[in-house]
Every structure is written in C-alpha cells, then in structure tokens.
Amino acid sequence: MSVHGLFLYNAAALIVIGIFGILTRKNIIKILLAINILQTGVNLLLVAVGWRPEGIAPIITEQTSGMVQFVDPLPQAMVLTAIVIAFGTTALGLIIAINYFKTHGSLETPSFLYGHMKSDEDEVVQ
Amino acid sequence: MIYAILFLILPLFSAFLAPVGSLVRTKFGNILNILIYAAGIVVGVSILREMDNGGLNIVLGGWRAPFGISLYLSTLSVGFGLVIYLLAICIHVSELGKGRSGRYNLLFSLFVFASLGMIQTGDLFNLFIFIEIGSIAVIALTPATNERAGTRGALKYLVPSGLLSMLMLASIALLYSSLGTLNIAHIASSEPLNGALGLVLGVGMLAVFFFETELFPFNSWVPDVYRGASSSFAAAIAGIGGLSGAVALGRMFLTMMGELTSFQFAHSSLLLVVFMVAVASILVGEIAALRERDLKRVLAFSSVGQMGIVALTFSVGGMNGLYAGLFLLLNHSIVKPMLLIIAGFFVGVTKKATWDEMNGVGRQYPLFGALFILGGLSLVGMPIFAGFWAKLILLKALFDGMSLLAGIGAGVVLLSIIIEGVYFLRIGHCLFERDEENDKGERPVEIGRAPARDAVFAFIPVIVLALLTVVLGLRPGLVSTFLKSASSDLLHTTGYIQNILVTLSTVGGGL
C-alpha cells in the first residue's frame, strides 16, 4: 500500500470510529474523546488530500526553484487552523462537563433528559 | 471605501476592549457594545448608499478571488447585517440592568462577529471558521446565568456541533480534492461533479446549516438552549443566529449548489432533502410547541417550525417564494427576540417557567401582555403585521407552483398556521385570565413587582421591535426592494459568479 493510501484508509477508519463513538457512548468524556478522534481523522484526510506524487515540503529556499514540485500547502494551513479550533472546543467542552458534573452529579447522557429535572425550582431562568 | 471592512470587524474592537474596561466599571462592556453596534449601523448604511447595484468585494491580504479570501458585500449581506446590529443593540439594552461581566460581553461580541462573517464570506473554509467561532460563543454563553440548566443545553449543542462541523470539514476536503478551490463562486462555476459525489458532499455541508438553522433532525438542542440560557441570549440565538444560519444555508444551497452549477447533477436530490427536512421541521416544531408547557420551550419549538417554513421556500416556490421566505425570516428575527425578552420578564416576576402558571401576569403588566399577543399574531400571520404579507406571498407562490411538492408545502404551511394560532392564543388568553382557584383547587402564583428600572430596560427593545413589525405590516413596500434584490442575489448564481470573479471593483488589500 502506498503512503497516500495508508493516510486515506487511516483517516477513514478514524472518522468511522469517531462517529461510532459519538453515537453509541453514554459518558460525556467519552463522547468528547470520540469527537477528538473524529477531528484527527478529518485532519489526516485534509493532509492526504494535499499530497502530490514526488512532492516535497512547500518551503521556498535557495535550493528549491520554481521547477520543483511541492505538495499543496493550502490543506496544511487549513489543518493548522482546524487543530487550534479543535483544541478550543475540546477545552470548552471539558469545562462544561466539569460544571455539568458539579450541578447534576453525573456525566451519563440519560441525565440529559428533560423529564428528570422538570419539577426543579432552581431551573427557572429569567 | 477603505472602511468597508469595518462593517465586519467592528464587534472585534468591543470584544477586545470590553474585558479590560470592565475592570474599571462593570457596565463598561455593555455600553461600549451598544456604541460599537450603533457605529456598525452607521457604517452599514453608508456602504449601502455608496454601493452600486452589484455590490462590493473586499479582498483580504491583497489576493484576488479565487486565490484569497473575499468578503462579498451586497444588499443581502449588508441589509441583513444591519438587522443583526439592530437586534444586538436591542438585546444589549434589555441587559443593561443585569450587570453582565466583561467576559459575557466579549463572547457576545464574538457571536455577533461570527454571525456577520457567515453572511458575508465568499470562502468555504472561512465559513467553517465563522461557524466554529459562533458555536464556541453559544456554548460558553448558554450556562452564563444558570449553570444547571445552562450546562445541559450547552452540552446538547456541543455534541452535534462537533460532529456536524467535522462532517462539513471532511466534505470541504473532498470538494477541494475534486475541484481544487475553496471559493464559493469558483466552486459554482467549476466542472460538474458526479451526481452521487455531489449529493454526499452537498448533504455533508448542508447538515451543519440545518443544525444552525434549528431544523428537524438536529433540533434537539433548541429547547434546552433557549430554556437554559438567559432569555436575552436566547433572543440573540433566535434572532441573530437563526438569521445568519438561514442566509448561509441559502447561499450554500441556492447559490453554490444551484441548477447551473457544479452540483447540477445532484441538485434535484438535494432539493428533495431540503424539502423533506423543512416539512419535518414544520410538523415536528409546531406539534411539539402545541404540547409544551414551558413558555421559553414553546418559543423554541415555534422557532423550529418558522425556520422550517423558511427552508421550505428555499426548495419550492421559486423567486416569489424565496422573496416571501426572506420576508418571513426578517419577521421572525424581529418578533422572536421580542417574545423571548417578554417571556424572560414574565419568568422574572412570577418565578415560574410554565405559561399555565403565569395566569394573570398580563393584568399586572398589560403592555407586556398585549405586546406578547401582538408578537404571536405576527408570527401566525395576521393582517396588519409583517408576518401576514410574508405568508400571503408564500402561499400564493406555492399555489402558483403547480407541482406536487408545492402542493404538499402549501398544505403543511396552512396546517402550521392553524397550530400556531391555537397555541399563541391559548397562551395569550392564559396571561390575562386570573381565577381565584384553578381546576385542581390551587391558588394562582403570586406575581412580584419588577423594579421600575428593569421594566423600562425590558420595555424599550420590546416596543422598538413591536413597532418595526407593525410598520412593516402596514408598509411592506419599505423593504420589498431590498428583499427582492436579496432573493435575486441568492438565486442568480451566474450574477454572483460574475460579481465575485470578474467585474466587481475590489477594495481592501494587504498592508
């Protein structure tokens, strides 16, 4: 299998594992982990999309003239941005999960159900 | 017009200054936000005056489209941007007495910034970034007032948002690998995609907009976020978030995936997907609202239904239908924030969340009660309010459509009008009725007195928005030119491609 193929199959596997985890896990931390796996898979896909046969790293130096073939730099820039965003959302998600545990005493998704809390007077939000 | 970029980035100024200023005075951020948004309105109006028919391209970094990121300022994006700024001012006025922290104002400004960016950008990856910024702001602001109800709403938002935005990014990656571009106009003008690939990529990208626009399969967050967030921020999600999400959905589905674009072989299947999502949203939203007792959750489900009607106009009804849809979107963005601010005020004075426990509150606060009924009637589509014209034009366009889908759409819209009428009038009746005892022999709740200052701060935005819906109902001509130009901007892909890639004068550029 070529390196390119390896990247693509890995990306597909990680995406499928991530979606499976989000849909089946009941613990919020596990769901956040699954979202992270999904994000890694998508980032890998992006990098694979920019690959060119025989391409080298897209850095212009004195040795590389215009005749050298670079891999596509745009997906790499996108991956950098996507990683930062993924970090931000994960950190935020974990903070929300901590506060959720403090106020509900559980991290399991069945405690999401509205019916559990219906009679709670603390929940009236102006 | 060197200041055209200010129309987008003004909220960033208040976002960075608000936390610093709040160290000195608590209200600094709140007042600064109002001033900055007012400046945004001034900039927007001056852009609209100077703009010729086509619009204006702002190229960032000096790279012309399709190589760099371009922002497209047209009557659509500037006009709805002005509405966003106006709503943001109204919401901030209603928060004046609540002592919001600097961090709250920072995130709110980011939310406004992201919403403005979503309707202006002409680049797919840039759009993804704006969606993520908006999601982070929503997730962080939802638990700001009540941690218990808020975190539950925030988590319900976070999980699907993480899943769907990654699906969108994967679709963008595959689209980039097939077409080699990220510019929306350039994608639309590229070689046609294979039908199956177009359908998969199209659904992958549209799903996140269904989520943002509160449409059916992804609407589970809507009631919990509306209920858990403070009602002023719920008003922002309903008005600002719904507006920008729907405009971005229109830009993606109508402009980028239109009949004559690279998605031409997948267009008819994508149209069916949007149609089914819209019909399901209308039915699910309205029926759930009919059964709901919690006032803010009723308004949330009603939003799902209303946004369903807007999405319906994207799929059937043609030009006139789209015009009606944008009118409906405008009306919803004005009326729903107003209803949510009133609902928050009622919850504050009764300390109850359900509308059937709020009976008699309209007698104590007759103006608020009357304006709540007024807003409800405008959403239902009664004459003399803006909603009437929107639904009239929509039904006319659907009946003229002469197709099976248009017929089903017309039936569903008529059904939704009846259901909306039932629950809004029922709530309105309950607000004004006060028995000594109810059927179960319980006495009605005590209605507290709100401090005069709070009542005034809640009343000013409500009356402004109510006047707006009445004025638009009496003189729909005021916005008809704007909405017609906006709908042709969305529907005429060739004109959009011409404007972005060929003709338009560009401003901005690198340092």
Side-chain angles (χ1 to χ4, degrees):
Chain A
M1 195 180 347
S2 67
V3 180
H4 193 212
L6 193 67
F7 264 65
L8 285 176
Y9 288 124
N10 261 322
L14 285 174
I15 289 175
V16 171
I17 292 171
I19 294 177
F20 179 79
I22 293 172
L23 295 181
T24 56
R25 296 302 96 183
K26 291 210 170 72
N27 188 298
I28 295 166
I29 304 284
K30 285 182 185 164
I31 292 177
L32 286 173
L33 274 175
I35 291 179
N36 262 311
I37 294 172
L38 174 62
Q39 283 165 343
T40 316
V42 173
N43 288 342
L44 210 56
L45 177 69
L46 269 169
V47 172
V49 155
W51 185 78
R52 299 276 174 277
E54 317 263 310
I56 62 163
I59 302 166
I60 297 177
T61 60
E62 286 174 355
Q63 280 82 37
T64 55
S65 67
M67 302 302 288
V68 180
Q69 197 176 19
F70 291 133
V71 296
D72 192 345
L74 187 72
Q76 303 193 356
M78 281 157 65
V79 167
L80 277 183
T81 320
I83 288 173
V84 174
I85 289 178
F87 168 74
T89 43
T90 310
L92 187 63
L94 287 173
I95 291 171
I96 301 278
I98 292 172
N99 286 341
Y100 185 85
F101 186 75
K102 278 184 188 161
T103 46
H104 291 74
S106 162
L107 280 175
E108 302 292 315
T109 43
S111 66
F112 277 34
L113 288 176
Y114 174 58
H116 274 254
M117 312 293 167
K118 209 157 189 173
S119 58
D120 201 330
E121 292 277 322
D122 301 342
E123 294 236 338
V124 177
V125 190
Q126 190 179 342
Chain B
M1 256 193 286
I2 192 75
Y3 55 82
I5 186 76
L6 282 180
F7 190 60
L8 171 65
I9 62 169
L10 268 175
L12 286 184
F13 287 108
S14 59
F16 290 125
L17 288 177
V20 183
S22 301
L23 296 177
V24 186
R25 248 186 105 80
T26 331
K27 268 194 185 162
F28 175 84
N30 222 324
I31 308 246
L32 177 77
N33 274 6
I34 294 178
L35 292 178
I36 291 265
Y37 299 154
I41 290 187
V42 173
V43 172
V45 170
S46 65
I47 292 176
L48 267 189
R49 282 173 147 222
E50 285 184 36
M51 198 161 60
D52 46 358
N53 283 331
L56 189 70
N57 251 332
I58 305 178
V59 288
L60 302 177
W63 298 90
R64 280 202 68 133
F67 304 109
I69 293 170
S70 69
L71 299 175
Y72 180 50
L73 294 180
S74 59
T75 35
L76 169 83
S77 52
V78 180
F80 279 123
L82 285 174
V83 177
I84 289 180
Y85 272 125
L86 178 72
L87 289 172
I89 292 181
C90 287
I91 288 160
H92 265 294
V93 170
S94 78
E95 285 183 333
L96 270 177
K98 294 182 184 166
R100 300 290 189 217
S101 67
R103 280 169 295 176
Y104 182 94
N105 290 315
L106 183 162
L107 286 163
F108 196 94
S109 281
L110 278 184
F111 179 66
V112 174
F113 166 72
S115 308
L116 286 168
M118 274 168 71
I119 61 177
Q120 288 179 20
T121 185
D123 183 277
L124 266 187
F125 189 70
N126 205 222
L127 186 61
F128 166 77
I129 302 286
F130 282 126
I131 291 173
E132 289 294 295
I133 297 176
S135 303
I136 289 179
V138 170
I139 294 164
L141 281 179
T142 303
T145 40
N146 185 319
E147 204 131 87
R148 191 172 157 79
T151 43
R152 198 160 64 243
L155 279 177
K156 282 196 180 176
Y157 188 94
L158 189 143
V159 175
S161 146
L163 173 66
L164 295 173
S165 61
M166 280 306 123
L167 283 189
M168 180 189 181
L169 189 58
S171 311
I172 290 177
L174 294 174
L175 193 64
Y176 179 75
S177 79
S178 355
L179 298 179
T181 177
L182 289 172
N183 186 291
I184 293 178
H186 202 205
I187 291 173
S189 62
S190 298
E191 291 289 303
L193 288 168
N194 170 315
L197 180 67
L199 180 63
V200 171
L201 296 187
V203 172
M205 278 184 278
L206 289 182
V208 74
F209 296 101
F210 294 154
F211 169 77
E212 293 278 325
T213 325
E214 311 170 354
L215 292 177
F216 162 62
F218 311 114
N219 66 343
S220 60
W221 62 274
V222 185
D224 281 292
V225 169
Y226 274 45
R227 184 168 176 277
S230 66
S231 16
S232 41
F233 185 62
I237 297 174
I240 301 175
L243 182 72
S244 59
V247 172
L249 175 68
R251 179 63 82 207
M252 296 292 285
F253 176 61
L254 297 170
T255 312
M256 198 180 90
M257 305 178 188
E259 277 170 23
L260 300 170
T261 63
S262 51
F263 283 83
Q264 52 185 273
F265 297 127
H267 180 75
S268 53
S269 342
L270 283 171
L271 193 141
L272 209 57
V273 170
V274 174
F275 177 80
M276 287 190 297
V277 165
V279 168
S281 302
I282 299 172
L283 293 176
V284 168
E286 301 294 6
I287 291 170
L290 188 65
R291 284 184 50 86
E292 187 55 59
R293 299 277 153 205
D294 188 303
L295 185 57
K296 282 163 76 179
R297 283 171 67 97
V298 171
L299 296 176
F301 284 122
S302 142
S303 278
V304 175
Q306 291 276 326
M307 291 321 245
I309 302 181
V310 174
L312 181 75
T313 66
F314 289 167
S315 57
V316 284
M319 188 74 176
N320 281 339
L322 181 61
Y323 167 68
L326 291 181
F327 205 148
L328 199 69
L329 181 63
L330 182 66
N331 180 50
H332 178 256
S333 307
I334 294 169
V335 171
K336 194 47 73 61
M338 168 185 138
L339 291 178
L340 277 162
I341 293 171
I342 299 177
F345 182 79
F346 284 166
V347 171
V349 291
T350 55
K351 305 286 176 225
K352 294 284 176 197
T354 52
W355 54 262
D356 48 1
E357 288 178 301
M358 286 183 190
N359 46 8
V361 70
R363 291 194 181 188
Q364 188 128 351
Y365 296 100
L367 270 175
F368 278 111
L371 288 174
F372 190 92
I373 295 178
L374 180 149
L377 290 179
S378 183
L379 280 186
V380 173
M382 286 294 277
I384 89 152
F385 303 119
F388 167 68
W389 294 108
K391 288 201 173 161
L392 185 71
I393 305 166
L394 170 64
L395 286 173
K396 193 168 169 305
L398 288 177
F399 283 128
D400 286 346
M402 302 293 279
S403 70
L404 179 65
L405 292 188
I408 298 174
V412 173
V413 170
L414 284 172
L415 181 68
S416 81
I417 292 175
I418 297 173
I419 304 180
E420 275 173 351
V422 170
Y423 65 75
F424 271 119
L425 291 179
R426 196 170 59 180
I427 295 172
H429 174 75
C430 192
L431 290 179
F432 280 94
E433 182 198 47
R434 190 167 175 92
D435 296 333
E436 285 310 307
E437 282 180 354
N438 66 6
D439 305 340
K440 295 177 204 153
E442 296 163 342
R443 294 184 56 77
V445 295
E446 287 294 314
I447 299 170
R449 273 231 155 267
R453 208 182 55 154
D454 286 4
V456 170
F457 283 144
F459 187 67
I460 295 170
V462 165
I463 193 75
V464 168
L465 295 173
L467 280 177
L468 214 55
T469 181
V470 173
V471 168
L472 287 185
L474 294 175
R475 298 280 304 278
L478 287 175
V479 288
S480 64
T481 339
F482 154 63
L483 289 175
K484 283 210 170 94
S485 136
S487 40
S488 91
D489 181 9
L490 280 180
L491 212 53
H492 290 152
T493 314
T494 31
Y496 177 77
I497 296 169
Q498 279 278 326
N499 282 343
I500 297 262
L501 296 181
V502 191
T503 45
L504 265 198
S505 58
T506 54
V507 293
L511 291 173

